[in-house]
Amino acid sequence: MWSVRLMGYLMKWSMTLAKHMLRSDLYGVAEVATRTGYGSVSAFSTAFARNVGQGPKQYARACRRS
């Protein structure tokens, strides 16, 4: 049971890091995916959209506009 909570915590933490990197103008989606431990941009994008509610490119664009 604790492993499920740990995995949820790690997912939330990696998404927090990903959002921080995407808000800056220093990292592209592929680099954020690699830095947060994903083996592919596709897997990262799917997980990001599931957790944040929009894809990483859309999230980065929205942050840069505001």
Side-chain angles (χ1 to χ4, degrees), residues 26-50:
L26 301 174
Y27 306 100
V29 174
E31 188 169 358
V32 173
T34 300
R35 286 177 176 257
T36 54
Y38 284 86
S40 72
V41 173
S42 177
F44 169 72
S45 295
T46 300
F48 190 91
R50 191 177 328 121

Side-chain angles (χ1 to χ4, degrees), residues 2-65:
W2 63 269
S3 64
V4 173
R5 287 184 289 205
L6 177 61
M7 291 304 293
Y9 172 80
L10 292 175
M11 172 67 73
K12 186 175 179 178
W13 179 246
S14 70
M15 290 299 129
T16 298
L17 292 174
K19 289 191 293 185
H20 178 73
M21 286 187 271
L22 289 167
R23 278 194 301 268
S24 76
D25 208 13
L26 301 174
Y27 306 100
V29 174
E31 188 169 358
V32 173
T34 300
R35 286 177 176 257
T36 54
Y38 284 86
S40 72
V41 173
S42 177
F44 169 72
S45 295
T46 300
F48 190 91
R50 191 177 328 121
N51 284 278
V52 178
Q54 59 184 329
K57 287 182 182 179
Q58 292 80 13
Y59 179 85
R61 270 192 237 123
C63 289
R64 290 177 189 142
R65 273 185 271 161

